[in-house]
Amino acid sequence: ITWRVNFYDEDDSPVAPNANSAHLHLLRPGNTTPLVIELVANGEVFEASWDSSNTRPGTVYWSARCTAPSSVRTDGFFDLKANPANI
């Protein structure tokens, strides 16, 4: 699963995170500790990928965050319909 994220401040202006300051936090079904993946710049878009093949079915909550030059985040969730043969 791949995320492509643009960050915007409270004035709806684009924010360009500093190097190593943008991360994707995932809370996977059956886990209480988030998985943290670095978001990598690809022009003005930041991207991260996650291999969901060994994850149980259920709701995945995510939060894309950057901490510098300012703190900005966007959040969401989706239902993962996993193949039980992969688990």
Side-chain angles (χ1 to χ4, degrees), residues 18-84:
N18 296 341
N20 301 318
S21 73
H23 297 87
L24 181 69
H25 297 243
L26 296 174
L27 188 55
R28 299 156 290 156
N31 289 274
T32 57
T33 303
L35 174 66
V36 180
I37 304 170
E38 184 176 355
L39 286 159
V40 178
N42 183 2
E44 293 183 9
V45 176
F46 287 77
E47 298 178 340
S49 292
W50 169 54
D51 179 2
S52 65
S53 63
N54 292 320
T55 302
R56 295 176 16 197
T59 302
V60 176
Y61 296 91
W62 61 270
S63 179
R65 309 172 183 179
C66 77
T67 55
S70 59
S71 181
V72 181
R73 65 189 287 164
T74 183
D75 305 306
F77 66 92
F78 60 91
D79 289 324
L80 181 67
K81 299 188 184 308
N83 179 346

